[in-house]
Amino acid sequence: AVIMKSIPSLFNRFPKNEDYMKRITPEWITSLKENEIFVFGCRNSGRHFDGASCFALEHFGAIMGQREGRQGQSYAIPTIGGTIDKKELQESVARFTEYAEAHPELTFLVTPVGCGGGGWRPWMVAPMFCEASKMENVYLPQAFWNEL
């Protein structure tokens, strides 16, 4: 007889509590509350010309030329251009996770980072946000929750 307890469960790898339903990033974000941060993917160069990065530049204080980190009411994660590969994206997401953990007073609305112009797919990016998904102050897009 096979004892299922001896096999590590894939279902325990990611949080599966009902609480996540309260932490889904809205599909369209047009304004932010004072404590909310818009988390977006951008070019490695920090040139915020299109997509969510352009919106962050125009509305939430993103800084042209800054490729990563907090910028006004936004947080950039480089997802495309130059040397961006899976390892580098994972490292950027890990730095974001550390930042979010250090700032529980803020609410981070993560957009589908990298899944637009970056060419990534939710199944590729979502697992990188596993640790962040456990934090009450991090909201993820439904497409990411579906993969977690």
Side-chain angles (χ1 to χ4, degrees), residues 25-27 29 38-41 52 109-114 129 139-141 144:
T25 302
E27 242 180 271
I29 300 170
F38 182 82
V39 182
F40 65 97
L109 304 176
V110 178
T111 63
V113 171
F129 284 90
Y139 286 50
L140 297 176
F144 285 15

Side-chain angles (χ1 to χ4, degrees), residues 44-58:
N44 194 27
S45 65
R47 288 188 232 143
H48 308 310
F49 290 136
D50 51 16
S53 65
C54 182
F55 196 79
L57 178 68
E58 293 174 356

